[in-house]
Structures are given as structure tokens and as C-alpha cells.
Amino acid sequence: MFVLVVDKNRKPLNPCHPARARKFLKEGKAVVLRRYPFTIMLKNVEEDCDNQQEYRLKLDPGSRTTGISILKDNTIIWAAELNHRGYSIKQSLESRRALRRGRRNRHTRYRKPRFNNRNRAYGWLAPSLQHRVDTTGHGTRKVCRTDKYGFPVRYVPRSKFVHGFQTGDIVKAIVTKGKKIGTYMGRIAVRTTGSFNIATPNGLVQGISHKYCSRVQGKDGYQYTFSRKSCRTAVYVRGRIPPHT
């Protein structure tokens, strides 16, 4: 697996060997742009990096997983697996349908409509649709989290950002005191109290203060895992596929 490289204007350059990428970082000639997939940005473009070469993109589409690879001649430069969310979306729709059926069967009070949408001006969107437009599809339509019976267990905060972090960010936390001294790295779930939960490869770590956290990579709608055995990066997509260019 080679390392992806871009210049200071974020123009793609030729991928380089991991040993050379480490040398660039150690000598201060490059900085880390992204952790997943690992990408470095050169401060000054090297001659051989600027010399663009031809690469081939190979796709192996499947119903649940699509294989992606970049080749130069017969050498694999970079490879990944894209896991589609079609099955999980189907399960979410079935769960929502079951919850709605449960609500219909319960004897609850009748609430009159709060407003008449038909009298709204042209171009007006319902609050639920406007929320999805404003959040670019990364939010949730649920006002509260529910258990398997459909009863609320906790409410979703109005603000996505807490102390500059949002749920889904990849952070590195270095805890220096308390019962949870150590270094943790993974995705966080923010809480309005400022005490976050971090999903690490070794399990969930709860109650980490935001003061110990530093962002490694912001939420971009994807989930990443790395398999050393297969040397492939698995990309879990949220409703979209990276451009094949």
C-alpha cells in the first residue's frame, strides 16, 4: 500500500512508498493531511512527485461491497472496500415502520394540528425537510432516542457541536489524571456535559473530558477500518460514493 500525496494546493501527485512518506514527515517536508485514508501534503513538490504518471482504476461492484483499487502496470498502489448501506437502511426503515405501528395502536390523546401547511408561501419547507437541507444529510430525523418498544430514553441535543467537537469526529485523548489515565484514539459521541464517549478498537471508553481531546480528523460521513492482514482500508459510506476519477 502506497501513501497518497498532494501538493500545497491539494492537487493530487504520484503516490509514494510509506518509507519515503515517513522521511518527508521526519524532515519537515510534508504534513499529514488526512489519517483515513492516510494522505500527506508536501510543502515543496519534489521533481519525481510532480512528474505525473498513468494509473488505472479497477472496480469490482457487488450488492453489499464494492472493491476499489488503483494500479500502476500490474502493481497495486492502493486498495479499499466500499461497504454499502442499503441493508442497514432497509433495517432502519423496517424499525421505523414498527415504531409507527406501535404508536397507532396505543390509546393517546388527540392533538390538533399546529399549523396548516397548505397556506404557506411558495418555497417554504417543512421543518423536518429544512433540517435535512441545513445539515446536508448528516443529522438524524429522530427528536429523541427510543428503546425497542418505542419509548424515549434520551433526547437529541439541539446543537451538534460541543466545545468544538461533534459526534463522529476522530480524536486522540491523552488522559493524565483520574481513573482512566492513558491514550485513547477513536470516534467520539459528544455530550452536552463535555464528557465524551470514545469508540476505540479495544472497546468503548466512557466519560472522557473534552479537555483531553484533540481532533485527528473531522466527521466526513464515512467510517474507516484498517485490516493489516489484507492491507485494505474498508470505507463505510453514508449515502454516497467517492468520485471515480
Side-chain angles (χ1 to χ4, degrees), residues 136-156:
T136 64
H138 286 249
T140 175
R141 297 181 68 249
K142 290 185 178 180
V143 179
C144 63
R145 306 298 185 188
T146 58
D147 57 14
K148 62 179 181 180
Y149 302 105
F151 293 98
V153 292
R154 65 179 185 273
Y155 290 89
V156 177

Side-chain angles (χ1 to χ4, degrees), residues 11-178:
K11 177 184 176 181
L13 301 175
N14 294 322
C16 67
H17 193 273
R20 192 176 186 196
R22 289 192 296 268
K23 181 180 179 181
F24 284 155
L25 294 173
K26 185 177 181 180
E27 295 177 354
K29 296 182 179 180
V31 295
V32 177
L33 179 64
R34 290 179 61 91
R35 296 275 183 166
Y36 307 96
F38 192 78
T39 307
I40 63 174
M41 181 170 60
L42 297 181
K43 297 180 180 179
N44 296 315
V45 180
E46 302 287 333
E47 293 183 359
D48 51 351
C49 293
D50 192 26
N51 185 16
Q52 293 291 334
Q53 302 178 2
E54 292 186 357
Y55 299 92
R56 291 183 298 162
L57 175 65
K58 291 290 187 177
L59 299 176
D60 183 15
S63 60
R64 295 192 179 184
T65 304
T66 294
I68 305 173
S69 62
I70 300 176
L71 289 81
K72 177 186 175 184
D73 298 330
N74 294 326
T75 304
I76 297 178
I77 302 298
W78 185 83
E81 290 182 352
L82 180 71
N83 294 340
H84 308 296
R85 295 187 64 242
Y87 183 72
S88 60
I89 292 175
K90 179 176 180 293
Q91 287 184 322
S92 299
L93 293 176
E94 292 177 350
S95 175
R96 185 179 67 178
R97 181 175 62 179
L99 293 177
R100 288 180 174 178
R101 285 182 177 179
R103 286 197 296 265
R104 294 192 195 104
N105 295 330
R106 291 198 295 266
H107 298 285
T108 56
R109 67 179 180 86
Y110 173 74
R111 179 179 61 81
K112 294 182 179 181
R114 298 178 181 177
F115 45 76
N116 189 355
N117 294 344
R118 297 179 182 177
N119 296 332
R120 294 286 180 174
Y122 178 79
W124 177 85
L125 294 177
S128 59
L129 294 178
Q130 187 65 46
H131 173 73
R132 298 182 69 181
V133 173
D134 296 338
T135 57
T136 64
H138 286 249
T140 175
R141 297 181 68 249
K142 290 185 178 180
V143 179
C144 63
R145 306 298 185 188
T146 58
D147 57 14
K148 62 179 181 180
Y149 302 105
F151 293 98
V153 292
R154 65 179 185 273
Y155 290 89
V156 177
R158 293 182 179 272
S159 177
K160 288 187 175 183
F161 290 88
V162 178
H163 297 286
F165 298 92
Q166 67 172 329
T167 298
D169 288 348
I170 301 176
V171 302
K172 182 178 182 180
I174 303 177
V175 182
T176 57
K177 60 181 180 179

